[in-house]
Amino acid sequence: METDETPRVLPFQLQFDKPVASQIKIAEWNPEKDLLAMVTEDSKILLHRFNWQRLWTIFPGRCITSLCWRPDGKAIAVGLEDGTISLHDVENGKLLRSLKSHTVAVVSLNWEEDGQVIKDDSVNNSTYEDRTSRFFPPAPRVPRMPGLAPGDTGFMDDSDDSFRELSNSSYQRFNILCSGDKDGSICFSIFGIFPIGKINIHNLSIPTPYASEPATCRLSHASISKIALSKDLCHLIVMCSGELNHDEVESAERQLGMHGCHCLLLDTSIFWKRKNELHQVAQQASNIEDLIEVIRASLSVMSKQWSDAMHTFREKFDSLSSLIIDHGLDSSPQEEFLSLLGGARTSPPVHQFLVNSLGESGVKRVSKVVCGAGKELQHVVLDHLQPAAEIIGFRMGELRGLSRWRTRFQGIGLDETLINNATEKSGILLVQVERFMRVLSSVVQQFSNFFNWLLKCIKLLNQEPSDQLLPYNSELVVIFLKFLYDQDPVKPFLELSEVDIEPDMETLQRVKELVHFGGFSDCDFLRRTLAEEFKQMESSFKEAFLMPFTTISMKMLCKDVLPLFALPTSSASVSVLVPISVTYYKDASTSVSSYQTHEHGFIDYISFQIPGDSSSNIANCIGISRRFMHSLSNSSTEESASLEAVLLSVPDGYHCVDLSLYKEGQIVLLLNETTSASECSGESCMMIVQADDLPFVSIPRSGCINTWNLDQLKDSVMHLRLENEKVRNIPHSVVAPLAVSASRGVACVFAARKRALVYILDEDEDDVSDSE
């Protein structure tokens, strides 16, 4: 604290003062670079450099409720009001992937990577080589639907490798994306793309570890405001508002519970303990899910193309049936064509159809459409569907090998039986692809032969030379007229159908005999179409990958609860009322080796404002607590550091707008003058408080939840004074958010008059105005 009376240099150099087109509601600095991602009130995402150069603007079309950066700064996760989480490429803002993990608004996002760096390379197993590239070319991309411009399908362009980079987790450090919604659900995704767990804070059995007798409590009507995963991935701190009650309390007494802001400590150590195994499973499973989308899109494109081609064929040739009826004949088009093929006299309706209705140009046009569609389907299979199915088979083989290592992978839910079943389904799909290609090739050949014969007939009927025409096979024409003219054997393969394919009994018997020699145990695959087989394979994958999801979810338990302060029962959400910041810093007092207990490597700092309308006795104060996640594990030792906290009284005439922890042990406060006039009037200030200089007080933990822990500090509140702290006056009224970049040493403040002010926090920082 500065107490000397010597004149001070004005702290926090103002670097920029720029107008913004719309008020900003969310702002986050890139963890490594000088990029600032902002969300406007109308839910546009802006990306600016430090010098305020705008890189891009995108509009997802839905209300944005949260945002965070991937730890390496290459992607942005955006939480939407409908529960969707979208990942965007930092280079151009393009959508990389969407996850529908929630059903309501995602109010908090936190993306953390493994913070432990093992110096001994011989034991560093957290990076894996993806062996698929040794045996296969790059994975196929989603085929484009004919007639759609690039990007209309929601997928990346073929020329863009960002999507592949997102899925290529081989050389990424293990990381977890956590997301919390307003209904209390928290989801976890490895690398932001593979869902690995989900919990709801309403369902948590919350222990009271300091009680004389074991007891539990639960939250009701809870709303999440902030989640933060520790850098060692072992703990998740959840800031929430709600009513805390003992499990044993009867329903009539539950109304007496503690309604306010609470801090939960969740045990997520399964991520640290099994990060190697989870890394390998997520690497394979996430790529398999990408390839499943390739197959799904391929079947959709193929079905659309073939359906359009058959519509063109029917549209032209159905007119022959009308001509036959108009001439008073009771024969079918096939009989009339067979009569023409046999050399009989051409009937009037066939003559009129071939010469006048269809004509040579019509035959060529229909032939081009049908045969062209057949070739396109073959290209889609060879370039997209078949390579995807082959790589899926290889990756499932890798997972099958991992599942047999029961001592390591059974604990995370990798079930050998389910993986074996999914592996077999992927093999059956490859067989179905080969089968479909044979059927498609035969059908296209017979269509081409039929059209060649029609061209020959039209030339003869018009008494024109036909020597230059391609030859045709009469037997294939007969087969076409008998089996393909009014039937479509290709369509059932591409669509889900209730009609089973009846294989010949000899083939079916051979397939059953192969079971004894390691063949497919499912012998009914010959009765299914390609689309049905894909549906079964996808279902088997979901079942296999659901087991790790369920297993990990069950292993994430609540370890402790810290009731902070009371709130009026009318409060809907603490996230709207209270500025909150949760950060983990390296514990400089402890030397942590790669083999030492991981839980003691970081210290948690939790800072929050206690609102003026709080029903507690410590209203309009800033609360800062530390060592919450250590107080439980160390509670039995006398020498251990217990939970500590301090209350800072906001200067008279001011209220806290937002706050942020900055670097080790520094808290940045954004204060507005309290005025009865409009919010745009008045002034504000930004203040930095050194946490190490604060009089932290050890908080004795009570086994009874009917105690607000911070009320114990009401007699030792420290009063902040503007003249004693590092303070920068701002000639505007300001609004949240306060965006602080620890790596750049800058803070971005947003004025109520739609202006952005960037300040340099470190006095010893070099001038960065010439940065990118």
Side-chain angles (χ1 to χ4, degrees):
M1 305 294 169
E2 294 188 22
T3 57
D4 59 271
E5 299 180 357
T6 58
R8 295 178 299 159
V9 178
L10 187 65
F12 315 141
Q13 175 187 346
L14 177 63
Q15 192 71 15
F16 295 111
D17 183 353
K18 301 287 185 180
V20 289
S22 179
Q23 195 62 56
I24 303 299
K25 64 177 181 179
I26 303 173
E28 294 287 344
W29 287 97
N30 180 297
E32 299 295 337
K33 300 180 182 178
D34 55 350
L35 300 177
L36 179 64
M38 297 173 287
V39 179
T40 62
E41 288 289 351
D42 54 356
S43 288
K44 292 180 181 177
I45 306 176
L46 317 176
L47 187 68
H48 282 245
R49 293 189 186 275
F50 174 78
N51 61 8
W52 216 249
Q53 174 193 0
R54 184 179 299 188
L55 298 181
W56 47 258
T57 302
I58 59 174
F59 181 52
R62 288 165 288 179
C63 180
I64 299 174
T65 52
S66 54
L67 178 145
C68 76
W69 287 83
R70 196 170 81 173
D72 62 3
K74 294 183 178 180
I76 296 175
V78 178
L80 303 178
E81 191 174 37
D82 64 355
T84 301
I85 300 173
S86 60
L87 306 183
H88 295 266
D89 182 18
V90 172
E91 293 296 324
N92 46 34
K94 287 186 177 180
L95 178 66
L96 298 175
R97 186 188 292 262
S98 291
L99 300 174
K100 195 69 167 71
S101 303
H102 302 267
T103 57
V104 294
V106 181
V107 296
S108 181
L109 288 169
N110 177 238
W111 206 335
E112 196 64 59
E113 68 180 2
D114 179 20
Q116 276 207 323
V117 179
I118 301 176
K119 297 180 180 180
D120 186 357
D121 293 337
S122 63
V123 296
N124 188 3
N125 297 320
S126 60
T127 300
Y128 304 95
E129 177 193 5
D130 188 352
R131 301 195 304 169
T132 312
S133 58
R134 293 187 185 182
F135 308 100
F136 296 92
R141 301 301 302 274
V142 173
R144 293 178 181 173
M145 185 71 75
L148 289 181
D152 289 349
T153 59
F155 297 101
M156 298 290 292
D157 296 342
D158 289 339
S159 59
D160 201 315
D161 292 330
S162 300
F163 186 84
R164 282 199 183 98
E165 192 277 332
L166 177 72
S167 300
N168 181 17
S169 57
S170 300
Y171 302 101
Q172 288 187 43
R173 291 176 66 181
F174 185 71
N175 60 71
I176 301 287
L177 173 63
C178 309
S179 56
D181 65 34
K182 68 176 185 179
D183 283 351
S185 292
I186 304 174
C187 296
F188 304 86
S189 300
I190 301 177
F191 306 117
I193 56 179
F194 180 64
I196 195 57
K198 183 175 184 178
I199 58 174
N200 190 291
I201 60 176
H202 295 98
N203 302 329
L204 291 175
S205 178
I206 304 172
T208 54
Y210 301 93
S212 57
E213 296 182 1
T216 58
C217 52
R218 290 187 183 274
L219 276 170
S220 60
H221 312 294
S223 176
I224 292 174
S225 58
K226 187 82 173 180
I227 56 176
L229 189 65
S230 63
K231 295 184 182 298
D232 57 8
L233 311 181
C234 291
H235 296 95
L236 181 75
I237 290 180
V238 181
M239 302 291 290
C240 61
S241 64
E243 189 170 308
L244 192 63
N245 298 277
H246 275 296
D247 273 349
E248 294 79 5
V249 177
E250 298 295 332
S251 59
E253 301 176 353
R254 293 184 69 87
Q255 301 300 323
L256 302 177
M258 302 175 66
H259 180 82
C261 181
H262 309 280
C263 183
L264 303 180
L265 180 65
L266 273 59
D267 181 5
T268 58
S269 58
I270 184 68
F271 293 138
W272 186 87
K273 295 174 182 176
R274 295 302 183 94
K275 61 184 177 183
N276 296 342
E277 294 86 348
L278 291 171
H279 191 150
Q280 295 179 74
V281 172
Q283 174 179 300
Q284 300 296 344
S286 59
N287 279 276
I288 287 173
E289 291 182 350
D290 292 342
L291 295 168
I292 285 177
E293 292 304 318
V294 173
I295 296 178
R296 189 196 319 280
S298 298
L299 290 174
S300 178
V301 169
M302 292 161 62
S303 178
K304 177 70 167 56
Q305 287 185 313
W306 188 254
S307 177
D308 291 345
M310 288 298 97
H311 176 74
T312 301
F313 176 79
R314 298 298 173 205
E315 191 177 39
K316 285 292 184 182
F317 281 80
D318 282 352
S319 61
L320 176 57
S321 299
S322 300
L323 290 174
I324 293 174
I325 296 174
D326 292 343
H327 283 80
L329 302 178
D330 58 356
S331 58
S332 66
Q334 294 94 315
E335 292 172 340
E336 292 295 329
F337 280 133
L338 286 173
S339 177
L340 178 61
L341 180 63
R345 183 178 178 181
T346 307
S347 65
V350 172
H351 187 282
Q352 182 180 346
F353 173 73
L354 293 178
V355 175
N356 300 328
S357 300
L358 186 61
E360 181 179 350
S361 60
V363 173
K364 291 181 178 179
R365 184 165 55 252
V366 176
S367 175
K368 181 179 180 181
V369 170
V370 175
C371 297
K375 292 180 180 178
E376 284 297 321
L377 261 63
Q378 291 174 331
H379 285 310
V380 171
V381 171
L382 295 176
D383 296 340
H384 300 274
L385 195 154
Q386 186 170 345
E390 291 173 348
I391 298 177
I392 285 177
F394 178 84
R395 292 191 178 278
M396 285 307 305
E398 297 277 86
L399 284 175
R400 187 181 185 186
L402 296 179
S403 68
R404 294 185 174 183
W405 195 350
R406 298 185 184 91
T407 55
R408 288 190 61 181
F409 290 90
Q410 197 172 42
I412 62 169
L414 198 64
D415 186 85
E416 184 178 358
T417 302
L418 296 178
I419 293 295
N420 286 343
N421 180 55
T423 305
E424 178 173 294
K425 293 297 183 184
S426 65
I428 293 177
L429 182 70
L430 275 171
V431 174
Q432 295 283 28
V433 171
E434 295 288 344
R435 182 186 183 192
F436 170 76
M437 286 294 284
R438 290 196 298 269
V439 172
L440 177 63
S441 178
S442 174
V443 170
V444 172
Q445 180 186 5
Q446 293 188 56
F447 263 107
S448 178
N449 183 76
F450 174 67
F451 292 134
N452 290 339
W453 172 69
L454 286 183
L455 286 173
K456 186 83 170 181
C457 292
I458 293 173
K459 288 288 188 181
L460 294 175
L461 292 175
N462 289 332
Q463 298 180 350
E464 296 176 359
S466 58
D467 298 338
Q468 302 299 322
L469 296 177
L470 295 174
Y472 66 89
N473 186 308
S474 299
E475 294 180 0
L476 289 181
V477 174
V478 174
I479 294 174
F480 177 87
L481 293 172
K482 185 176 181 180
F483 298 105
L484 297 180
Y485 183 83
D486 58 355
Q487 301 178 42
D488 185 358
V490 175
K491 181 180 178 180
F493 275 89
L494 303 176
E495 299 177 355
L496 295 175
S497 174
E498 296 180 357
V499 180
D500 290 337
I501 300 175
E502 290 297 333
D504 62 274
M505 298 306 298
E506 182 180 356
T507 303
L508 190 59
Q509 183 60 32
R510 289 180 178 177
V511 169
K512 291 181 179 180
E513 293 174 354
L514 287 175
V515 175
H516 302 289
F517 300 96
F520 299 133
S521 59
D522 181 4
C523 300
D524 291 331
F525 72 91
L526 292 176
R527 303 180 187 274
R528 297 192 292 266
T529 65
L530 179 60
E532 291 170 334
E533 200 62 63
F534 169 69
K535 181 181 178 181
Q536 289 210 6
M537 183 190 75
E538 185 180 19
S539 177
S540 69
F541 287 171
K542 288 181 178 179
E543 185 180 10
F545 297 149
L546 180 62
M547 186 62 70
F549 181 92
T550 304
T551 302
I552 299 300
S553 299
M554 294 175 62
K555 292 189 177 184
M556 288 185 285
L557 305 175
C558 185
K559 295 175 62 176
D560 200 1
V561 60
L562 178 65
L564 296 176
F565 54 85
L567 285 172
T569 55
S570 59
S571 300
S573 173
V574 70
S575 61
V576 177
L577 301 174
V578 181
I580 293 175
S581 179
V582 181
T583 306
Y584 301 89
Y585 293 128
K586 190 74 174 178
D587 189 354
S589 63
T590 306
S591 177
V592 182
S593 69
S594 60
Y595 304 101
Q596 191 176 338
T597 304
H598 54 275
E599 295 183 354
H600 303 285
F602 299 91
I603 300 177
D604 56 279
Y605 277 81
I606 306 169
S607 57
F608 47 89
Q609 181 206 13
I610 302 172
D613 59 353
S614 171
S615 59
S616 67
N617 298 322
I618 51 176
N620 201 30
C621 284
I622 304 297
I624 305 173
S625 69
R626 65 185 181 188
R627 301 186 185 276
F628 174 44
M629 68 179 183
H630 296 291
S631 60
L632 179 63
S633 60
N634 297 328
S635 59
S636 60
T637 62
E638 297 180 357
E639 299 179 357
S640 63
S642 62
L643 172 69
E644 298 177 329
V646 64
L647 289 180
L648 308 177
S649 177
V650 176
D652 293 339
Y654 286 88
H655 66 276
C656 181
V657 175
D658 204 356
L659 50 82
S660 178
L661 292 169
Y662 168 62
K663 292 188 176 179
E664 285 76 2
Q666 298 185 58
I667 296 91
V668 183
L669 305 178
L670 191 60
L671 308 178
N672 253 351
E673 277 189 337
T674 303
T675 174
S676 59
S678 65
E679 65 172 355
C680 294
S681 62
E683 295 185 348
S684 59
C685 66
M686 182 167 55
M687 175 188 300
I688 285 189
V689 179
Q690 190 69 34
D692 294 340
D693 298 336
L694 298 176
F696 278 93
V697 177
S698 179
I699 302 295
R701 304 297 302 279
S702 170
C704 178
I705 66 169
N706 298 328
T707 302
W708 296 104
N709 286 269
L710 296 186
D711 281 351
Q712 304 174 49
L713 302 178
K714 61 183 179 181
D715 296 330
S716 57
V717 176
M718 175 182 174
H719 293 273
L720 294 176
R721 302 186 184 278
L722 299 181
E723 61 271 15
N724 293 339
E725 310 295 340
K726 290 179 62 177
V727 177
R728 172 69 185 239
N729 292 326
I730 302 174
H732 309 281
S733 177
V734 294
V735 295
L738 167 66
V740 177
S741 171
S743 61
R744 294 295 301 183
V746 296
C748 186
V749 177
F750 298 95
R753 298 181 182 274
K754 296 183 180 181
R755 301 197 67 84
L757 297 87
V758 177
Y759 292 92
I760 299 177
L761 298 180
D762 292 340
E763 296 178 0
D764 56 348
E765 283 283 332
D766 295 332
D767 187 17
V768 291
S769 60
D770 58 346
S771 62
E772 297 182 51

